[in-house]
Amino acid sequence: MANLSQLIEAAVAEWRDGRPLTSLRGAPPAVIEFDEFEVLVTLLPAAAGAPLAVSAAVMNGDGETLAEARVEVKDA
């Protein structure tokens, strides 16, 4: 991966797996594995009508958190 933002974007896309936004509400957290990194993607709580957002934490092989981001999930 060229940078952490691309890694996070790829992890969120894999977590979403093409599902529509309505089916993502209540989705369980997932660990997305890459060659040297893991990204923990967790759905954030939101009020009705609020945009769907996830937390993405990038971790190295030692479990050290390298970056964290809040990402809004939108329709393609």
Side-chain angles (χ1 to χ4, degrees), residues 15 21-22 24-25 42-55 70-75:
W15 169 81
L21 292 180
T22 54
L24 294 173
R25 296 216 184 261
T42 306
L43 186 64
L44 295 172
L52 188 73
V54 296
S55 168
R70 180 188 179 278
V71 179
E72 283 191 19
V73 181
K74 299 178 182 178
D75 277 325

Side-chain angles (χ1 to χ4, degrees), residues 12-66:
V12 172
E14 188 169 326
W15 169 81
R16 183 174 182 178
D17 192 28
R19 296 177 288 179
L21 292 180
T22 54
S23 71
L24 294 173
R25 296 216 184 261
V31 175
I32 309 301
E33 296 182 13
F34 295 96
D35 289 339
E36 300 176 23
F37 304 98
E38 292 182 342
V39 182
L40 173 62
V41 180
T42 306
L43 186 64
L44 295 172
L52 188 73
V54 296
S55 168
V58 179
M59 297 167 285
N60 64 14
D62 295 330
E64 178 184 6
T65 301
L66 303 175

